[in-house]
Structure formats: structure tokens, C-alpha cells
Amino acid sequence: MLRLENLTCGYGETQVVRSLSFNVKEGEVLSFIGPNGAGKTSTLLCLMGLVLCKEGSIFYNEKNITSLPSEQRIKEGISLVPEGRRIFPDLSIFENLMVGGHTLSKDKCLKNISKGYDYFPILKQRKNQLAGSLSGGEQQMLAMARALMVNPRLLLVDEISLGLMPKIVDECYEVLKALKGQGLGIILVEQNTEKAIEMADHIVVLEAGNAIWKGSSEMAEKEDVIQKLLI
Amino acid sequence: MLYLELFIQGIVQGSLYGLMTLGLTLVYGLLRILHVAHAGLFTLGGYIGVLVTNQTGSFGLALITAMVTVGVMGMGVYKFAYEPLLKRPPFVILIASIALFIASEEIFRIIFGPYGLSYENPPLKGQVEIFGGMKIKVGEIIVIGFSLAMLSSLAWLSKYTRTGMAWRATVSDPDIAQAFGVNKNKVRYLNFFMASALTATAGVFVALLNNLVEPTMGSVPSYKGLAIIVLGGLGNIRGTLIASLLLGVVESYGTIYLGKILDRDAIAFGLLIIVLMIRPKGILGEK
């Protein structure tokens, strides 16, 4: 589904990620693990077309999308749940979801909004409330519902558990598992390594922009990768 | 009766300030640019209003022509003057904007002459009697009505249309809006078009009420506009409108009661200083 070949990306002159290669298949979860500043978020933003890809190629369903603008990548079926949620605080829940479906027709948009409400019923109850006034957990649900508006086939999820109560984190992971079950490919960036390994099929450990370990989550557990490499 | 008359005058002036400065706020809200050249577009609106009315006799046509032409010019200013400088520190764009404004005054002087133009046959010049024998110019009623209509349609567009939502999302977080397929360049062009079209109408109406448009018509609005958007809270649309009306009314009373000591602009900046002492981020500024 997604194939990265020697991806190097960064901002201006700076390279943040160097020569990164990996594959994600449908229904698979790949987790990025690594310390702050390792380049995890930049990789996701680069996949979304928001950070410059300097070298290498990104193939999505065998199509080279390396130089495609964000707008086209969404249409291809890639969507992002950004770090820190980054919902639009001055827009209502409903309006946030409408912007999430900006590339869709209005009818399709309304249909997908009601699907989003099925995943997260609380959003329906508060649909006219300003997103900025929601709790952290509700904002995270909104960020996920917004990313699902475009019926993505590949979901990029950045730090979903950051600053949230464990109960809410579990709820968000339940939704991710359901989506995985529906055949979505998911790339997960997570500080909570336990959750990341539990959820993932494959793990990539990043440090200072380089992939220092790659393998299946079973291997990661067997080799005690986290203890050895990161602590 | 004088009180009421002054109040109405203040609202007329405030509506004009609103039409003029809303664009400044739109531009600041989206790009954090202090768009001084906006006042040049305001003057251009005034010129087009007078010229088209004198040529065709139709004030309505003049208003529409001014909105469209100045709207397109505003997009041009963004494209050729601001876009290439967006990655530089904000003062670079501010300097470019000031330069553009000064150049525009000289261009108006070269093209239209130094003495200004008037309506050959001023439109909407009648007066209407409202209660108690008080009279108000038709032009002034039109100014208030038109501003209300423009601002409510703008509010409606931004609240209920998908373009409006995308625009507000871009103001809030341009990168994430882009990640959901909102084309930020389209939003920026639309923003400059709307901002410039609004200020063009202010220019047309000021030229109408004074029956004069001259090259330096924008010089007072260029800095007073900045005072108003600071007063309202930078980037805050509702704040800008409140500040515009407040300033219109305060100036209107002020020139009668304080006119001997302070001139009109001194009153405006006096109000700015007082408000900023109490609310440093402006009337509706973010905390």
C-alpha cells in the first residue's frame, strides 16, 4: 500500500530524517518509536505533503506521490490525526468536520459526519459547541473524526495519547483497532511505547533522523528493543 | 436633538471606518501583515467611483466597478508585493506596504492630477426628514444601510458556506487546513479580494459624502486604520467593527465638545491610548 524508498526530508537546509525506507500493507499498523526530535512527526508531515521531501520516493498503491500536493494525497486516501490534535478552536465541532471533508461533495460530507458521530457519540451531542471549549479527550476524538471524514485507506496518527486520561486513550485505541479491522493501514507515532508495540505489526525505531531498528512487534518484544535502544 | 444628530453622524463615520478597516483585519488575521497599502486601494476606490459615475451617470455601476477593479488590484498587491516576501521577517512586508502606499499617492497625482476630482452631478444628494425636523442626507442613509448589508452578508458567508469555513480554518491553522485539502493560496486571494472590495466601497462613499477625491485621501485612513484595528484587538473582526463605530461616535461628539482643544485625529488617538491603558490587547483582543 505505502512504500518509502530512502526518504530524506526536512525544513530549509536542515535534514530531519535521512534515508528512511519501509512498507505498510492494508490492515497493518506500523509504529514509530523514538525520543523527541527523532523525526517521527516530520516523517508523517512529509507523507502528508506538509514537509519537503528532499530525496527518495513515496509510493502509494504503486503510484509515485512524492511531489503530489496535500490536496491530492487526501483524495488518494491518506489522512492525518496531527500531534497536539490541532483542531480549529474557533470553529464548532460540525464545522471542523466539514473542513475535514473539504475535498468531498456536501452530501458525502454530511453522510461521513454522521458516521463520525457513530464512532464518537459525544461529538453529536455537542456538535454546535466551539471545538476550543472541548476537553482534551473530546478534542482528540474530534481530531480523529475529522481525519476519518475523507474515508482514508491510510491513517497517519501522531501522539494520540499525549496528555489524555488512560480511559480516553483506550477508547481512541479501540477505534483504531476497529479501523485496522476494516483494512486501513495505520502509521502510529507514539511516546507510549507499550501501547505502540501492543497495537503495531511492525516497529521502526528512529533516533536523530535515522532508523536504528526495524522489525515486527514480536521481534521487538523478544529482543527487548526498547530497553536496549532507548533507555 | 443635537445629541442624536451627532450620534447618527458618528454612526455614518463609524460605518465608513468599518468598511475601510475590516479588510485590514482580514489581512492581519490571515497573514499577520500590517497592510498599509490598503489605504491606497481605498483612494483608488474613490477615484473609480467618481470617474465611472461621471462617465455613465450610474452610481450603482460605479460602486460595483470599484469593488471588482480594486478587489483584483488587491489580489495583485498580494501576488506581486507580499507573496514573494512572506518568508522574510514581518517588518520587511510592512516597509514594502508603506512604500507601495506612498507610491500609490504619487501615481494618483500623476494620472488624475494634484487637485482632486468631484462628481459633475453628485448622486444621492437629497435629504430626508426623520423625526423632529431632523434631516439626514440620502447618501448617509445609504452608507449605513450598505455597510450593514455588506457586513451581514460577509458574516453569513463566513459562518454558513463551506468556503467561509475553510477560510476560518485557514486563519486558525493554515497547515492543518491545507492537510485537509484547503488550498491556502485560493483563500489568500479571496481574502485580499474581499478586503480590497470593501475598502473600495468606503472610498466611493467618502468621495460621495465629501464630493471630492484627491491623491492624499488615504493618508489619514492609512494610520487611523491601524489605530482602529489595534483598538479592536488585532485580527478580531467583531472588535474592529465595535472600534470603528465607537471611534466614529466619539469623534463626532469630540469634535463638538473638545474641538477647540483637540482636532479629530488627536481625539481618535486619545481614545486609542485610553483603551490600551485599560485593555492592552484592545477591546476584544485575545488574552
Side-chain angles (χ1 to χ4, degrees), chain B residues 17 220 223-224 251 255 262-271:
Chain B
Y17 284 150
V220 173
Y223 58 81
K224 209 185 263 180
E251 275 186 10
T255 34
L262 291 172
D263 84 352
R264 202 182 178 101
D265 300 334
I267 294 169
F269 283 93
L271 177 69

Side-chain angles (χ1 to χ4, degrees), chain B residues 5 7 12 32 47 64 71 78 134 149 157 171 177 180 188 205 213 252 271 280 283:
Chain B
E5 213 167 321
F7 183 74
V12 171
R32 299 288 182 263
Y47 273 109
I64 294 170
Y78 168 68
M134 198 177 86
L157 280 173
V171 169
F180 287 99
R188 286 172 181 175
F205 285 125
V213 50
S252 176
L271 177 69
I283 298 172

